[in-house]
Amino acid sequence: MPTVLAGVSRLEPERIRHVASPLIELGCALHVLAEPTHHDRVEWAASVPLSAELRSELAQWSWTVRAVRARFFATTAATGMPSWSDELAALRSRPPEEVAAELVRPLRGRPLSSRSVDTDAVLHWARSRGRAVAALVESLVTSPADPVRRFVDLLDACWQEWFRDVWSASRDELAARGRHDRDLAIRDGVGAMLRSLDSSIDLRDADSVVVQKVQSKRIDVSTRSLLLVPSNYIAPHLFVGEIPGEPITVIYPVTGRGAAVPTAQQIRSRLDALASPDRLQVCRAVASEPRTAGEIAALWGLHPTQVTRHLRALTRAGLVTAERQGRFVAYRLDNQALTTLGADLLTLIMR
């Protein structure tokens, strides 16, 4: 199920560039404003100094920055630290039809590699978001010039009202992290550098890394270039974007590796172990004190062999621990493993 980046040993560091992009970072910050809870930034979102007019306008466009992002929020041709005015001017200079097609991307569920727009599907799913969004999306697909100008003006209003100060306080840190990571690739290799970006990335072998995401994908980076985009607002996500003709883009937390991200296989094994009603009874039997398989069978009226099998499955999944007491083996529920199961599952899904 994870994403594999293959060919990392053949990716020359000269094909790696980094950018501290105010436009990409604003896209990440707008996502946090729209969904602050799973970023654990509710207080930050409430403290952003937004005028009532700007807050209302952002609410109407929030669907553009939730789960799926437009290309201009995901990649850039710039290197180093482009200015806001340059990035905004580049966005304004693009044909409105192109920008509109990127803005409606969240409504068609297409990958970044797709440039086509299924107008019927876009309008259909827009209606599921309410009348205001449906009307806005209809204008984007039928007469995009005015709504695209309105959206770009909204981005500039965000810059003027609050994001300029945010960017001034963080841009140097982002640029320094990008330089550090590119230097690390030159010194220690691309695989080691990628592993340092986030705890969801680990070396698979000498030529590939594995990214713990709920997305089965293999990306060959050996003939591509790589764009590194550190962010203060992307966590708990890790964005790996593959756009034909563009670098592989990685938007990652500026803080680097944190707590380990469990693999999909590890979580599935725990969930599978709990899928049987009898195993839940076994868990209950060993929740408050250690018990042997024979004692559990007697307590719950189960066959001893069946209980032993359940305990072995729960032990393999890391949900139950076993301790030998003379000729007996006593089992006990690992409360911490169960407590973290939901959090681990959410961490994997959010990556």
Side-chain angles (χ1 to χ4, degrees):
M1 183 172 282
T3 296
V4 174
L5 302 182
V8 297
S9 66
R10 290 165 284 154
L11 174 61
E12 296 90 352
E14 293 74 21
R15 287 189 277 127
I16 300 174
R17 60 186 175 90
H18 60 88
V19 66
S21 163
L23 183 57
I24 294 177
E25 186 74 337
L26 176 58
C28 294
L30 291 176
H31 171 77
V32 176
L33 277 178
E35 293 288 341
T37 302
H38 72 252
H39 289 265
D40 197 21
R41 301 187 81 156
V42 174
E43 291 185 7
W44 174 84
S47 71
V48 174
L50 299 174
S51 64
E53 181 182 358
L54 183 55
R55 190 177 295 275
S56 174
E57 185 75 351
L58 283 172
Q60 294 184 56
W61 290 94
S62 64
W63 54 274
T64 65
V65 293
R66 289 185 184 272
V68 182
R69 62 191 65 211
R71 287 170 186 255
F72 53 78
F73 283 145
T75 191
T76 176
T79 300
M81 192 190 300
S83 69
W84 171 255
S85 59
D86 286 345
E87 290 202 311
L88 192 68
L91 188 59
R92 287 192 190 278
S93 69
R94 295 180 57 190
E97 295 79 11
E98 285 187 8
V99 179
E102 293 187 21
L103 285 171
V104 300
R105 180 175 168 264
L107 299 175
R108 68 184 194 273
R110 300 289 177 82
L112 278 168
S113 57
S114 173
R115 294 181 181 273
S116 62
V117 175
D118 185 338
T119 302
D120 290 339
V122 165
L123 294 174
H124 173 76
W125 294 117
R127 286 192 290 271
S128 72
R129 287 164 169 77
R131 292 181 180 179
V133 172
L136 183 56
V137 171
E138 184 173 3
S139 66
L140 280 168
V141 299
T142 58
S143 185
D146 285 343
V148 165
R149 182 166 51 249
R150 174 183 164 189
F151 179 79
V152 178
D153 287 346
L154 172 64
L155 297 182
D156 198 30
C158 288
W159 175 262
Q160 301 298 335
E161 279 200 22
W162 63 279
F163 192 69
R164 174 166 44 194
D165 293 338
V166 172
W167 182 248
S168 296
S170 61
R171 63 185 180 184
D172 291 337
E173 177 191 20
L174 298 178
R177 177 62 201 262
R179 289 192 300 269
H180 168 272
D181 293 328
R182 188 179 182 280
D183 291 344
L184 183 63
I186 296 172
R187 188 181 72 240
D188 295 346
V190 176
M193 180 275 292
L194 289 171
R195 184 181 182 278
S196 74
L197 301 184
D198 188 70
S199 53
S200 64
I201 306 176
D202 276 300
L203 294 172
R204 188 188 192 199
D205 52 47
D207 195 45
S208 63
V209 300
V210 60
V211 185
Q212 298 302 335
K213 294 177 75 71
V214 185
Q215 183 180 35
S216 267
K217 198 173 190 181
R218 184 182 185 277
I219 303 174
D220 187 351
V221 302
S222 63
T223 59
R224 305 283 295 275
S225 56
L226 186 67
L227 177 62
L228 303 175
V229 188
S231 169
N232 276 308
Y233 296 96
I234 194 67
H237 312 302
L238 176 77
F239 178 83
V240 180
E242 182 186 18
I243 308 172
E246 300 284 349
I248 304 298
T249 302
V250 183
I251 307 177
Y252 57 97
V254 70
T255 52
R257 290 184 71 85
V261 176
T263 68
Q265 182 178 358
Q266 289 171 334
I267 291 177
R268 282 201 310 270
S269 70
R270 283 186 266 172
L271 293 174
D272 288 344
L274 294 169
S276 163
D278 286 347
R279 285 182 191 162
L280 291 179
Q281 288 185 324
V282 170
C283 287
R284 177 67 185 88
V286 296
S288 56
E289 64 175 310
R291 286 193 169 108
T292 66
E295 185 180 2
I296 296 168
L299 280 172
W300 293 95
L302 300 172
H303 194 281
T305 301
Q306 186 182 23
V307 172
T308 299
R309 288 173 181 166
H310 289 325
L311 286 168
R312 285 175 179 170
L314 291 165
T315 303
R316 284 195 303 269
L319 299 172
V320 164
T321 60
E323 181 181 349
R324 182 167 290 279
Q325 302 282 356
R327 64 187 183 88
F328 297 100
V329 177
Y331 297 86
R332 183 161 197 156
L333 187 69
D334 187 332
N335 293 346
Q336 186 62 29
L338 272 181
T339 300
T340 60
L341 177 55
D344 287 348
L345 177 58
L346 185 60
T347 296
L348 177 65
I349 290 173
M350 285 300 177
R351 265 314 187 276

